[in-house]
Amino acid sequence: MEKEYKAKEIEEKWLKLWKDEMFYFDWNSKKPHYIIDTPPPYPTGSFHLGNALNWCYIDFIARYKRMKGYEVMFPQGWDCHGLPTEVKVEEIHEISKNDVPREEFRRLCMEFTMKNIEKMRRTMRRLGFSVDWSKEYITMYPEYYTKTQLSFVKMYKNGLIYKDYHPVVFCPRCQTTIALAEIEYKKGKTKLNYIRFEDDVVIATTRPELIPACVAVAVHPEDDRYKHLVGKNVKVPLFGYEVPIIADEDVDPEFGTGIVMICTFGDKQDVRWWKKHKLPLRAVLNKDGRLNELAGIYQGLTTKEAREKILEDLAKEGRLLKQEEIEQNVGVCWRCKTPVEIIAENQWFVKVEKEKIIENAKRIKWVPEHMLQRLIDWVESMEWDWVISRQRIFATPIPVWYCKNCGEIVVADESWLPVDPTKDMPKKPCPKCGSNEFEGETDVLDTWMDSSITSLVICGWPDLKEYPTHLRPQGHDIIRTWAFYTILRSLALVGEIPWYEIVINGMVLGEDGRKMSKSLGNVISPEEIIEKYGADALRQWAATGVIGEDVAFSWKEIKSAYRFEQKFWSIVRFVTMHLKGKPTCKPELLRDADRWILSKLMKLVKEVDESMSAYRFDKALKAIRSFTWYEFADNYLEIVKNRLYSGTDEEKIPARFTLYKVVSTLIKLIAPITPFLAEECWHRLHEAMGEKVESVHLQSYPECEEDLIDEEAERRGELIKEIVVAVRRFKHDKDMALNAPLKSVRIYASMEIDTRDIAGALNASVELLKEMPNIEVRVKRLKPNFKVIGPMFKEKAKDLVKAVENLSDEEKLKLFEGKSVTVSLDGMDVKVSPEWFDVEIEKVVKGESVEVLETENAIVLVEV
């Protein structure tokens, strides 16, 4: 084996040699099944570091479970439909989606998406993910979106999907509705405007442009300032129509003047009041964000333009009393960051059965557990049902037509699917009036309607092979969307939770601790890391993160990971030099050092297995690294080297057996985290023994062999390590070579230990003493602290030092022990404090020129 581990070369070699079939899932396998509902990423073309972190976690689990004897399904999907693709295609081709026929625009979107999928696939393969590519699904293809349409049809038949005229969140820029979960909030500053409606009715609002949408004015019922107003009407300034003054407990008397304007609609609170008090609807905003005819002279203006003009006109009439700058959170579109509006529209909705969802979410095991509360909080805060219709093109068509004659809604039969109502017609007349004249639904489905059935699709729905799936791994940022929608849809379609367990990962932060962002210049791509240090180094960095917590990227951690790979390689290289055929060994031939490291190894196996099972990859990796680097390389190998190089054949047998046992176990333990390194080392190890083996990823995960755990052997091994470390440190301090011979080493300890490996490691004859040696403690040197005694004794300081030096060893040792002593200085007794002198001692054996080393559990006499 070469001295240097060349990560890139070796990783690219195995990418060519590994076959996809190695990870194919077999429904007929007799092994216990383990099905992962993998996130289908949006095909942006960039598999970013956040994706890499999430998929590393998934791959650690998949590889670990396979080695534990499970038949693992690790599918890969692509959540293709969506607004970002439409926006990007419009930019690339310099068109609007309405400039070309629907089919042509859809074709451009699909072409763009497939190119992005190819790029992302390459990165995923390069990162060594053990995906079952035979189970790949692409949501924009009919074989997938047919099932989306089927789910719509089934839920409609069961009364869980309906069409209604209702307030919805709308993005003026993207010209489409968006779900409540897709609103992002942006902090900013705005003006709070105090506007006089009438002498005793002054309202404070941040949205004067919605004055033409005003349908009521509200006060708190317990606000004594305004009780006399309740039940009266007030004129709306600039527009002259009257609105009622009502009382409602949700009015905050402390905000502004304590009188609020209710508009249809300024925010979600307006919607609540509108419903509760059955107020009229004055929809003043068009879909493009401009004001309509209800705004009178302000018709055609944008909300920003209307705000400025209305404030100007109010000021002219003396109605704008004052303005205050305040902070506010503005709801913006998740995609284009344009402020969203609430408008009333005829839209398709999915019923949200809050209690049912929360009750069943609790049946799922959440890791970390506290993430369940995020879902509960979101469900309880929802203002209205999930709006699923979108005014776009690149998405799953809603399988619905409207009878031109009577307006009846006709939903496709299941046997007609897939359908595109903009091209296809129903295969039977209108069930209400018999007409054959239909208008197809032009709205399409929210892309979450596609991705919220992934757990069902991978299990063969509608003909489920088994269900629920075993695991959903995902980020905490999509708990209120993907996790929530999937639970909702699974319960609606099959009456069952979608998975037994959900594991939530955090986000990736830049090295500066801030969220990775191009604008902040702190983005690192997986490709950049792979190019410098290989995929396994990136995977080790991912393993250092804690499930549920955000992880800061660190080049330092990447470099540390790469150094560990080099160390691991060097260890395997050393071991292969000493193997000839597969070593075997009778238990009675094992020496103390062998039994010690094997016992520690089995405890490591148990610890790592438990950590991997609990998704604590950070603990697993830390334990493997620590054992490999310190216990095995720094200690065991140094202790056993002499036996390997200079021992008899009988002495070499247990050492070789132990080397193979430890290294083969470590390779398998590390395999789920560093698959390339593990594969190469596995094959190199067995090639050295003349054996041809299957992939390490097809091996069983190590199991703890309880008969190898030996507490007594560990105590003896720790003592051997302690002694060897102490003497080697002594050699280092004496500027001696570590392999320099010593005349003798005599050890007094509380237990019998094997001295063969100690003698070899220290290059000395070693003797165990039965009796405690007669050790004397002497003061070797006194070092006065002149910074203290100088100012105190001035010219007499040297006399003080001389007086202390003339004390007996017994008196001097008192200073070492932290006690005071008394000396005579110019006929006066002076109490000498231990802080005045640094006392260096030495331990000697009477009548012998040996160095005495004391460890925690032994006394070692070294003769140089």
Side-chain angles (χ1 to χ4, degrees):
M1 288 173 66
E2 306 81 357
K3 279 189 177 182
E4 185 187 349
Y5 178 66
K6 297 176 180 174
K8 272 188 66 188
E9 286 180 23
I10 286 166
E11 289 177 1
E12 285 167 4
K13 163 190 157 182
W14 285 109
L15 285 173
K16 290 173 186 170
L17 292 174
W18 281 333
K19 303 294 182 191
D20 286 349
E21 292 82 353
M22 188 161 68
F23 305 120
Y24 282 179
F25 175 81
D26 180 7
W27 282 110
N28 299 316
S29 172
K30 301 297 181 191
K31 297 177 186 177
H33 292 179
Y34 189 83
I35 300 170
I36 303 171
D37 183 19
T38 324
Y42 198 79
T44 60
S46 168
F47 194 82
H48 56 74
L49 209 50
N51 295 137
L53 177 74
N54 195 0
W55 264 257
C56 280
Y57 288 162
I58 302 168
D59 197 50
F60 299 158
I61 296 166
R63 289 182 180 277
Y64 167 72
K65 288 290 185 181
R66 280 193 206 97
M67 294 180 78
K68 289 292 285 184
Y70 289 86
E71 185 71 17
V72 174
M73 185 200 284
F74 179 2
Q76 182 56 51
W78 303 97
D79 189 15
C80 308
H81 290 135
L83 189 56
T85 296
E86 290 193 358
V87 172
K88 200 70 185 170
V89 167
E90 286 177 326
E91 284 176 12
I92 291 169
H93 296 280
E94 297 181 345
I95 56 169
S96 162
K97 63 185 177 183
N98 299 317
D99 292 344
V100 293
R102 285 175 75 96
E103 272 307 297
E104 175 61 12
F105 188 74
R106 184 172 173 81
R107 185 191 68 76
L108 293 173
C109 289
M110 289 179 73
E111 187 180 89
F112 173 75
T113 301
M114 282 313 300
K115 285 178 183 174
N116 285 349
I117 288 174
E118 280 301 322
K119 287 180 199 170
M120 294 173 77
R121 268 199 205 117
R122 281 197 296 273
T123 305
M124 293 179 75
R125 285 184 178 277
R126 183 62 187 84
L127 283 164
F129 299 143
S130 57
V131 168
D132 178 352
W133 291 105
S134 72
K135 299 289 188 292
E136 185 180 33
Y137 58 86
I138 299 174
T139 61
M140 66 183 178
Y141 286 166
E143 49 267 35
Y144 188 96
Y145 74 69
T146 296
K147 296 193 175 187
T148 305
Q149 291 187 329
L150 177 63
S151 69
F152 178 96
V153 171
K154 286 183 177 293
M155 288 176 69
Y156 179 82
K157 284 180 182 175
N158 292 330
L160 296 173
I161 287 180
Y162 62 94
K163 190 165 191 182
D164 190 23
Y165 188 75
H166 190 279
V168 291
V169 180
F170 195 87
C171 173
R173 156 64 185 81
C174 300
Q175 291 281 289
T176 183
T177 53
I178 64 172
L180 294 167
E182 294 170 320
I183 305 172
E184 292 181 0
Y185 289 92
K186 193 176 175 183
K187 284 186 178 178
K189 292 189 175 179
T190 190
K191 293 277 176 61
L192 182 64
N193 305 280
Y194 289 76
I195 299 167
R196 180 168 55 82
F197 274 44
E198 290 181 0
D199 289 343
D200 51 357
V201 180
V202 177
I203 63 105
T205 180
T206 59
R207 302 208 62 186
E209 70 273 19
L210 290 183
I211 284 178
C214 181
V215 290
V217 168
V219 298
H220 194 279
E222 301 301 319
D223 192 334
D224 291 335
R225 294 174 296 174
Y226 305 124
K227 278 183 178 179
H228 67 286
L229 294 175
V230 177
K232 295 181 179 178
N233 288 342
V234 64
K235 272 189 181 180
V236 176
L238 301 182
F239 294 90
Y241 65 92
E242 290 191 344
V243 295
I245 300 174
I246 61 175
D248 194 281
E249 296 82 0
D250 285 339
V251 174
D252 180 2
E254 303 299 318
F255 181 78
T257 62
I259 308 180
V260 298
M261 171 177 75
I262 301 174
C263 302
T264 50
F265 299 97
D267 56 22
K268 288 187 282 187
Q269 182 59 54
D270 281 344
V271 177
R272 286 193 286 271
W273 282 327
W274 175 71
K275 284 182 178 178
K276 180 179 176 181
H277 298 287
K278 297 182 172 56
L279 297 170
L281 178 71
R282 279 184 67 89
V284 75
L285 285 176
N286 290 328
K287 288 182 181 180
D288 60 2
R290 294 179 182 273
L291 276 64
N292 61 25
E293 65 279 0
L294 288 175
I297 61 170
Y298 308 107
Q299 181 179 356
L301 299 181
T302 65
T303 52
K304 187 181 177 183
E305 291 166 346
R307 180 181 305 178
E308 291 170 2
K309 189 73 175 72
I310 285 173
L311 284 173
E312 185 184 313
D313 291 347
L314 287 167
K316 283 178 185 174
E317 290 190 8
R319 292 182 180 274
L320 181 59
L321 304 183
K322 66 173 179 174
Q323 293 179 307
E324 293 173 356
E325 189 171 76
I326 62 168
E327 290 188 354
Q328 68 168 176
N329 279 334
V330 178
V332 298
C333 172
W334 69 280
R335 176 57 196 168
C336 69
K337 312 307 177 194
T338 300
V340 294
E341 298 290 355
I342 298 175
I343 63 173
E345 279 277 300
N346 251 316
Q347 298 287 347
W348 288 95
F349 293 86
V350 166
K351 280 186 182 175
V352 177
E353 298 173 301
K354 293 186 179 184
E355 286 182 17
K356 186 177 180 181
I357 290 167
I358 291 170
E359 177 189 324
N360 281 278
K362 289 175 180 176
R363 292 173 54 207
I364 300 163
K365 182 182 177 185
W366 290 71
V367 183
E369 195 176 341
H370 69 266
M371 291 293 178
L372 168 61
Q373 194 56 45
R374 293 200 186 186
L375 180 102
I376 293 171
D377 291 346
W378 167 247
V379 175
E380 289 179 341
S381 73
M382 289 188 72
E383 300 287 342
W384 53 76
D385 287 335
W386 173 20
V387 57
I388 57 168
S389 44
R390 298 288 181 271
Q391 294 68 54
R392 296 189 289 100
I393 293 172
F394 186 51
T396 297
I398 298 177
V400 164
W401 297 265
Y402 305 95
C403 177
K404 286 185 177 179
N405 186 48
C406 69
E408 179 73 359
I409 293 174
V410 177
V411 176
D413 285 357
E414 292 179 12
S415 61
W416 302 353
L417 305 176
V419 294
D420 180 349
T422 64
K423 296 190 303 178
D424 309 320
M425 284 292 118
K427 296 183 179 179
K428 57 187 180 184
C430 172
K432 190 174 181 181
C433 71
S435 171
N436 285 304
E437 294 288 315
F438 297 97
E439 184 179 344
E441 174 66 84
T442 55
D443 281 3
V444 291
L445 289 171
D446 177 5
T447 190
W448 292 109
M449 283 290 282
D450 292 328
S451 57
S452 58
I453 57 169
T454 54
S455 59
L456 291 162
V457 169
I458 62 175
C459 289
W461 184 81
D463 302 314
L464 287 174
K465 294 183 171 70
E466 66 179 85
Y467 204 71
T469 62
H470 298 85
L471 181 72
R472 155 65 68 84
Q474 66 161 72
H476 62 61
D477 58 323
I478 49 173
I479 287 174
R480 67 182 192 175
T481 48
W482 196 36
F484 163 63
Y485 293 143
T486 307
I487 295 169
L488 182 159
R489 301 262 272 142
S490 185
L491 293 171
L493 292 165
V494 296
E496 184 53 277
I497 55 173
W499 350 269
Y500 295 114
E501 199 167 7
I502 180 169
V503 171
I504 307 291
N505 66 277
M507 303 292 104
V508 175
L509 309 176
E511 283 198 286
D512 55 7
R514 295 183 292 178
K515 186 178 177 182
M516 277 200 174
S517 157
K518 285 181 182 176
S519 62
L520 294 173
N522 62 352
V523 173
I524 304 291
S525 73
E527 290 83 1
E528 184 181 348
I529 300 164
I530 292 167
E531 182 62 30
K532 291 178 180 176
Y533 297 101
D536 278 344
L538 186 154
R539 292 171 66 102
Q540 282 189 75
W541 161 76
T544 62
V546 177
I547 289 289
E549 295 180 11
D550 292 344
V551 186
F553 175 74
S554 164
W555 279 113
K556 183 181 175 183
E557 185 55 53
I558 295 287
K559 290 170 187 174
S560 174
Y562 191 75
R563 281 196 300 274
F564 174 71
E565 290 170 37
Q566 181 61 60
K567 183 70 174 179
F568 200 94
W569 178 258
S570 299
I571 291 167
V572 175
R573 182 174 180 269
F574 173 82
V575 170
T576 57
M577 289 162 60
H578 296 280
L579 296 182
K580 293 171 185 174
K582 189 168 183 177
T584 57
C585 179
K586 294 176 182 176
E588 59 268 23
L589 290 178
L590 292 170
R591 304 189 81 102
D592 283 355
D594 307 324
R595 293 178 191 277
W596 161 70
I597 199 69
L598 290 172
S599 183
K600 300 275 278 188
L601 176 71
M602 288 306 122
K603 287 183 178 178
L604 173 75
V605 167
K606 190 180 283 189
E607 181 186 354
V608 172
D609 196 14
E610 287 171 359
S611 296
M612 292 294 288
S613 179
Y615 314 117
R616 286 304 304 265
F617 313 119
D618 57 320
K619 289 179 74 176
L621 180 61
K622 186 178 178 182
I624 293 168
R625 281 178 173 180
S626 179
F627 176 91
T628 303
W629 203 301
Y630 304 112
E631 299 289 24
F632 189 56
D634 287 359
N635 290 301
Y636 178 75
L637 292 186
E638 294 304 321
I639 289 168
V640 84
K641 264 181 187 175
N642 183 268
R643 199 172 1 135
L644 287 165
Y645 284 115
S646 307
T648 64
D649 287 344
E650 190 175 272
E651 288 176 332
K652 289 177 181 177
I653 286 170
R656 287 172 174 164
F657 170 81
T658 304
L659 290 184
Y660 174 75
K661 184 77 174 174
V662 173
V663 167
S664 61
T665 301
L666 287 174
I667 291 171
K668 287 189 279 188
L669 286 178
I670 199 77
I673 296 173
T674 58
F676 298 102
L677 173 71
E679 189 76 287
E680 183 70 12
C681 290
W682 181 252
H683 285 272
R684 292 295 190 108
L685 180 68
H686 289 88
E687 281 168 15
M689 302 185 307
E691 283 192 351
K692 194 166 184 179
V693 286
E694 282 191 307
S695 169
V696 69
H697 304 295
L698 299 177
Q699 308 304 312
S700 294
Y701 204 70
E703 291 185 5
C704 177
E705 298 171 48
E706 296 288 346
D707 60 322
L708 288 178
I709 294 181
D710 186 337
E711 300 295 345
E712 183 61 29
E714 283 195 46
R715 282 191 288 274
R716 290 197 297 272
E718 288 299 323
L719 182 54
I720 290 170
K721 179 177 85 172
E722 194 178 294
I723 292 164
V724 169
V725 167
V727 178
R728 286 167 72 89
R729 190 184 301 119
F730 164 79
K731 283 186 174 182
H732 175 270
D733 293 345
K734 293 285 185 184
D735 287 329
M736 296 172 67
L738 293 182
N739 62 352
L742 297 169
K743 284 184 182 176
S744 71
V745 172
R746 285 177 288 160
I747 301 163
Y748 176 77
S750 57
M751 68 180 83
E752 287 283 325
I753 50 173
D754 179 2
T755 59
R756 166 64 183 87
D757 286 329
I758 299 175
L762 301 180
N763 195 4
S765 63
V766 176
E767 178 190 351
L768 290 179
L769 300 175
K770 292 186 178 177
E771 293 182 5
M772 168 82 83
N774 185 14
I775 296 171
E776 292 182 357
V777 180
R778 294 178 187 166
V779 174
K780 188 176 181 181
R781 191 161 65 104
L782 278 173
K783 186 179 178 185
N785 188 347
F786 282 111
K787 284 185 180 177
V788 176
I789 62 177
M792 290 174 69
F793 294 93
K794 298 187 170 69
E795 69 275 0
K796 296 288 183 182
K798 288 185 179 178
D799 294 336
L800 176 75
V801 171
K802 197 172 286 185
V804 174
E805 284 175 344
N806 287 334
L807 289 171
S808 67
D809 269 2
E810 190 178 343
E811 287 292 296
K812 291 175 188 173
L813 281 170
K814 285 182 181 178
L815 291 173
F816 178 74
E817 292 163 358
K819 299 171 185 173
S820 298
V821 295
T822 302
V823 297
S824 179
L825 191 63
D826 289 344
M828 292 180 63
D829 286 344
V830 175
K831 196 175 183 181
V832 178
S833 172
E835 288 81 29
W836 298 358
F837 289 87
D838 292 327
V839 184
E840 187 182 330
I841 62 160
E842 62 180 352
K843 293 181 180 180
V844 295
V845 177
K846 198 170 185 180
E848 294 189 47
S849 61
V850 293
E851 297 276 359
V852 180
L853 310 179
E854 277 193 77
T855 71
E856 189 178 344
N857 298 293
I859 295 169
V860 185
L861 309 181
V862 179
E863 187 179 3
V864 179

